[in-house]
Structures are given as C-alpha cells and as structure tokens.
Amino acid sequence: MRTAGRLPGILAVVLALAGGCSFPLFDRASERLGRTRAVEHVPGAGVRVELENGSILVEAEDREDVEIVASLQSHSIERLRATAVTSERDEAGTLLVEVRWPGQGRQSHERCHVRIALPDADGVKLTTRNGSVNVSGLSGEADLRTHNGGVRLVRHDGPIDAHTNNGRIQIAATGAHPIEAKTHNGSIEVENAAAEVEATTSNGAVTLTLADSATGPVEAKTHNGAVTLRLGATLAGSLSMSNNLGDLVIDDRLGRFVKSRTKHEALLVWDEEGPESSLSTNNGSVRVEQRGE
C-alpha cells in the first residue's frame, strides 16, 4: 500500500522462513512461517534493523518500492502467529524494522532473518546478536554490529563502522570514506579503500588493498595471523611494520622508502610530516606490496 509522505502508524507484518534456507541451530521439528510485504520507498532515507537473533541482508535492487522479507522460526506455530515484524519511519524518513516476540519476549531457540530490497538508502544501521550482516550497493554511513556472524559490504559508498566478535569481515568500498573494521575471531579483508582504514582482530589475517588515489593512513593489527597491505600509487607519511614471529616482506619497488629495518621491524617514509600508518602482528608475516607494474 502506498501513501503520500510518512507511512501511517506501524505496519505490523507476521513473516517467516523463505524457501531454500537452512538453520542448523534448529531441529527438523521447528515451525516456520513467512510472508513478504512491500512498503513505500522514500528516496535518500536510511534503514535501521534491530534483531536479537538472526541474519540481516539489505541490498539495492531495481525496483520502485521497499520489499521486506522476514523468516521466523520457533518450536511453536502459535508463537509465530503472535510475533510481529514491524516497520515504521521516523521524522527523517528512516525505515526502522524490528521483531516483537509475544509474552516475555524471544525464547532462546527462536530467530528471525530479515532481507530488505530497495532502490537506494542513505545510511544503514544494522544490529543483531547471532547472525551475519550483509549490505550491497548502498550509500551513507554504515554502522553494522553483530556478536556471532560475519559482516560483508560490497559496492558501498560511505563511512563504514563494522564490528563483530566472532566472524569474518569483508569490505569492498567505493568513495573516499573512512573504514573501521573490528573482530576478535576472524579475518578482515578490505578492498578499494580510498581513505583512512583501521582494521583490528585478535585471531585472523588482515588484508588491506588501497585504491590508486589512497594516501592513508592505515592501521592493521592482529595477534595471530598475517598482515598484508597492497598500495596503489603511493602512501603519504610513514609506515611502521612489526612482528614477533614471522617474515617481514617489503616489495623491492618500495626499497627507496625504507628508512630503517631489522629482522622484525621496519620503517618506510614517504614524507616526514605526513600521517603515521602501522602494520603489526605477534604471530605471522607482515607484508607490504606495490600494486601494478
């Protein structure tokens, strides 16, 4: 249903499992219920999704409205029928999607997965506890949080703040916007970064690939895993590299920028007054490469 301007009230939607999905945390006796709802699109507005348990996917699609598909799962069909997935817009037009479980709230075995397809969005704020978070083809500030699950952004044009406790982070960005990616257990991969990057994990490799125009600064840190930085045309300021166990590898084409080097530490300087970048790990190799010929 379309309306002019702000959507009236709360659109309560009882939604559930879309075909073809599997959820290993649930046994085969689990009840599943699902529906799809289309709501009016507000160009340039943001999207906010808050879940307790379940994955979130928000992606750009060639369409005129907003499609919300949610997948609910429980051991009780009665609870599924009483659960509402609500959507409403705030005064700024931001679309907020939430799940309201009946009674005292969500039980430990229950979950809801949400997929939102829309023409565009300026800003996405997605929060869940157990499940992956995925964003594709959007723009604006991206604030993505999960505790157990991976985070993936592709073709995103805007500042990125991606956090998880247990999961891999993958980012393919566009535009010169800062990126912050943090996880405790999982690797981090960032491609086409055109501005400053901060990537931190405890257990996992970190790989950063900068756009040709990017000058940094970058900070990549892990305790257990390799760290790799692939440069475009240049990097501004200085770059320190350090590890305790593992190789320290510097592309031969960058040799003229090496100011000091030992077995486990190195300093490269492009200009003395520029920003400071760093790559570090306790256990693993540290590598800096020049892309292209």
Side-chain angles (χ1 to χ4, degrees):
M1 178 178 66
R2 293 181 178 275
T3 61
R6 182 181 174 187
L7 294 179
I10 297 178
L11 300 175
V13 188
V14 180
L15 304 153
L17 181 66
C21 296
S22 62
F23 304 98
L25 296 180
F26 300 97
D27 59 36
R28 294 180 181 178
S30 293
E31 298 288 350
R32 300 174 180 181
L33 183 67
R35 289 184 187 159
T36 299
R37 179 67 178 265
V39 300
E40 183 182 18
H41 175 58
V42 176
V47 175
R48 216 170 108 209
V49 182
E50 297 181 1
L51 299 182
E52 294 180 5
N53 198 26
S55 62
I56 305 171
L57 168 62
V58 182
E59 58 185 346
E61 194 172 271
D62 185 14
R63 58 186 308 121
E64 295 183 355
D65 58 4
V66 180
E67 181 183 65
I68 304 172
V69 179
S71 305
L72 290 159
Q73 190 165 358
S74 174
H75 290 316
S76 166
I77 190 65
E78 289 76 16
R79 283 185 57 80
L80 291 181
R81 288 170 178 163
T83 299
V85 177
T86 64
S87 61
E88 61 179 345
R89 290 192 184 272
D90 63 17
E91 294 182 356
T94 298
L95 179 66
L96 171 62
V97 178
E98 296 179 292
V99 180
R100 298 178 181 176
W101 298 91
Q104 299 301 312
R106 187 185 65 85
Q107 297 178 358
S108 60
H109 64 277
E110 295 174 328
R111 80 167 34 196
C112 177
H113 303 269
V114 172
R115 175 186 179 270
I116 299 175
L118 71 173
D120 65 80
D122 185 7
V124 283
K125 185 173 184 179
L126 312 178
T127 304
T128 185
R129 294 192 61 83
N130 296 295
S132 62
V133 177
N134 293 271
V135 174
S136 176
L138 301 179
S139 63
E141 184 176 353
D143 185 349
L144 312 179
R145 312 273 167 162
T146 182
H147 286 270
N148 296 297
V151 177
R152 184 171 183 264
L153 292 90
V154 295
R155 302 186 310 279
H156 188 82
D157 188 2
I160 297 169
D161 188 354
H163 285 227
T164 181
N165 284 336
N166 298 292
R168 178 185 185 186
I169 297 178
Q170 298 171 280
I171 296 172
T174 61
H177 305 285
I179 296 172
E180 180 177 310
K182 292 186 177 181
T183 180
H184 289 289
N185 295 296
S187 62
I188 298 176
E189 300 174 22
V190 177
E191 296 183 8
N192 201 40
E196 60 187 275
V197 181
E198 180 181 354
T200 306
T201 182
S202 295
N203 297 293
V206 179
T207 303
L208 308 180
T209 302
L210 303 187
D212 286 334
S213 61
T215 57
V218 300
E219 179 181 352
K221 181 188 299 184
T222 181
H223 289 284
N224 296 295
V227 176
T228 301
L229 173 64
R230 299 188 177 102
L231 301 178
T234 185
L235 189 72
S238 62
L239 172 67
S240 62
M241 306 168 61
S242 66
N243 63 5
N244 291 324
L245 295 171
D247 297 327
L248 207 65
V249 181
I250 301 173
D251 192 313
D252 290 340
R253 292 170 291 179
L254 299 173
R256 65 186 185 279
F257 301 112
V258 177
K259 188 169 184 179
S260 64
R261 181 171 183 174
T262 64
K263 184 176 181 180
H264 294 294
E265 292 184 349
L267 177 64
L268 286 73
V269 177
W270 282 261
D271 61 87
E272 298 285 353
E273 298 182 358
E276 298 179 356
S277 297
S278 65
L279 312 176
S280 65
T281 180
N282 285 333
N283 299 296
S285 63
V286 179
R287 178 186 298 269
V288 60
E289 301 173 352
Q290 180 81 59
R291 293 192 295 105
E293 296 181 0

